[in-house]
Amino acid sequence: MNIREIAKKAGVSTATVSNVLNGKLGKVSEETKDKIESIIKETGYKPNVMARSLVKKVSKLIGVVVPYLGPNENFFTNPYNAHIIAALEKYIRSKDYYLMLQCVGDPREIVPMLSSWNVDGAFFLGIYSDEVKEIRSLLDIPIVFLDTYAPGEEIVNIGIEDYRGGYLSARYLIGKGHEKLALVTPDISSEGVIRERYRGFSDACREAGVPFKKGNIYYSESTYNSGVSIGQDIAFKNTDYTAVACMSDIVAFGVIEGLKQCGIRVPYDISVIGFDNLPDCEFMSPKLTSVGQDFEWKAKKAGDYLFRMIERRTALVADEKQPIRIVERQSVRSLFDR
């Protein structure tokens, strides 16, 4: 079935059928529209999406770029990516658009593909500041960045209060009587999400008079296996830490497992707090206390900005950060209850 056959069946011109398919109903009677739509439904006709995109200059595709993944990684390596992608897909689908997902090592390498597919807009997750300007100069489409720190750049970025998250993590542990703290984190040398969380954590310790030095920091990749190794290291060093703060839940899951393998019980021997409040926190034993963020809020806020730019054909500038809080479960115990 094609447009000519539908037109013949309906007794109208192909131009009239095309107008109905593309929502141009000014010169089409209600009766004719209903007749054509009924035939389309009966025959199961599906228009050629690529052909329509060339005519209308609208592809109905939204790119989602997950950067800095190694050759042996995918977006499931860190469950955070899976949850934020799921939330973005739900929003994109609600707008009758389609998600085009690409995982890359260098986010700049995706630019030719986004251009060739004529995507209507794109989300970039967690881009380093020195790459933002280049990406924007190469892509002439609406872009929303998530969890990106790019001072001086006129972009739309949607994130969370990372500094406050690190601060709350330390204050929560200190409030439970913990003063011998370890921090498990990715590299903090680059400006961005992790640096802000580290700053908040160290500032909270300093304000409370709790000793926190470089020796208290354990550097890890944002993977479960890396967390397991760190948990084992903490155990084998026979430290006197009473609590460990992790800058992501997936690493916290691994740390708990590593400690468990060495006979250290959480939270009875050492308490552990995570960051992100993944739904998986409820499936752990013990259930993981975490600094919580709302994936649906972040996706909706980012989606609202992107589609405003698409529909209005204008650039916007914004930097919105989601308020966050501690979600208390079972992995941190109060030392005052001894």
Side-chain angles (χ1 to χ4, degrees):
M1 181 64 65
N2 56 40
I3 286 183
R4 287 190 181 88
E5 291 171 336
I6 292 173
K8 184 176 180 180
K9 196 174 181 69
V12 298
S13 68
T14 55
T16 300
V17 175
S18 179
N19 285 336
V20 171
L21 288 171
N22 291 299
K24 298 178 180 179
L25 306 175
K27 297 180 180 180
V28 181
S29 69
E30 189 70 21
E31 182 182 354
T32 299
K33 179 181 83 69
D34 291 344
K35 187 176 184 180
I36 292 171
E37 289 180 343
S38 176
I39 294 170
I40 290 172
K41 186 175 181 180
E42 288 174 7
T43 58
Y45 171 75
K46 300 292 182 184
N48 186 310
V49 175
M50 292 304 297
R52 291 181 70 188
S53 73
L54 290 172
V55 173
K56 300 179 67 177
K57 297 183 180 181
V58 173
S59 69
K60 304 291 281 187
L61 292 174
I62 301 295
V64 176
V65 181
V66 182
Y68 314 125
L69 293 187
N72 297 320
E73 294 180 300
N74 58 53
F75 65 85
F76 279 118
T77 303
N78 187 338
Y80 167 82
N81 289 331
H83 288 294
I84 191 62
I85 290 169
L88 287 171
E89 191 281 332
K90 180 180 177 182
Y91 183 95
I92 292 168
R93 180 162 31 96
S94 75
K95 292 289 188 177
D96 199 25
Y97 275 65
Y98 304 91
L99 178 150
M100 186 179 81
L101 174 65
Q102 187 69 24
C103 300
V104 295
D106 184 337
R108 291 167 292 194
E109 69 188 49
I110 192 61
V111 169
M113 180 179 290
L114 294 178
S115 298
S116 64
W117 277 88
N118 192 35
V119 299
D120 295 333
F123 297 105
F124 280 78
L125 276 59
I127 304 298
Y128 291 134
S129 60
D130 60 342
E131 294 170 338
V132 169
K133 185 174 183 178
E134 184 174 355
I135 289 170
R136 292 181 65 243
S137 68
L138 294 172
L139 281 174
D140 187 24
I141 58 172
I143 300 173
V144 171
F145 296 89
L146 283 83
D147 300 314
T148 297
Y149 286 80
E153 293 293 329
E154 295 185 346
I155 63 173
V156 174
N157 175 65
I158 306 300
I160 65 172
E161 296 176 335
D162 291 296
Y163 176 89
R164 173 180 164 86
Y167 186 92
L168 286 177
S169 179
R171 290 298 304 190
Y172 176 78
L173 294 175
I174 294 168
K176 295 290 186 180
H178 297 278
E179 296 188 352
K180 297 177 180 178
L181 308 177
L183 178 66
V184 183
T185 177
D187 178 52
I188 59 175
S189 61
S190 300
E191 185 173 17
V193 167
I194 298 301
R195 169 80 73 82
E196 289 301 301
R197 294 178 187 179
Y198 165 74
R199 285 183 54 242
F201 191 91
S202 58
D203 284 354
C205 289
R206 185 175 60 254
E207 289 177 12
V210 171
F212 182 74
K213 303 176 181 178
K214 288 186 177 179
N216 299 76
I217 302 175
Y218 292 78
Y219 292 102
S220 72
E221 298 176 359
S222 295
T223 65
Y224 176 81
N225 288 336
S226 182
V228 172
S229 297
I230 296 296
Q232 293 172 347
D233 289 344
I234 291 173
F236 284 129
K237 287 182 179 179
N238 197 26
T239 63
D240 59 354
Y241 298 127
T242 63
V244 179
C246 302
M247 292 294 96
S248 68
D249 287 337
I250 187 62
V251 171
F253 300 156
V255 167
I256 291 174
E257 177 61 21
L259 292 171
K260 179 182 176 182
Q261 290 175 1
C262 298
I264 295 178
R265 304 167 301 164
V266 176
Y268 308 104
D269 301 320
I270 294 181
S271 293
V272 177
I273 187 171
F275 203 114
D276 286 331
N277 191 37
L278 299 174
D280 313 65
C281 292
E282 288 286 346
F283 309 143
M284 289 291 296
S285 181
K287 297 180 188 297
L288 183 66
T289 293
S290 183
V291 180
Q293 61 172 302
D294 186 334
F295 296 98
E296 296 289 339
W297 181 96
K298 187 182 285 187
K300 183 179 186 308
K301 187 68 68 171
D304 286 348
Y305 273 107
L306 186 70
F307 278 90
R308 278 165 59 191
M309 288 190 284
I310 291 172
E311 292 162 3
R312 300 178 185 180
R313 300 182 182 277
T314 185
L316 297 172
V317 177
D319 186 16
E320 292 207 31
K321 290 183 167 50
Q322 175 191 150
I324 52 179
R325 77 288 184 201
I326 298 290
V327 180
E328 189 171 40
R329 294 189 180 90
Q330 303 166 346
S331 63
V332 176
R333 79 181 183 99
S334 173
L335 298 186
F336 300 125
D337 296 337
R338 287 177 174 175

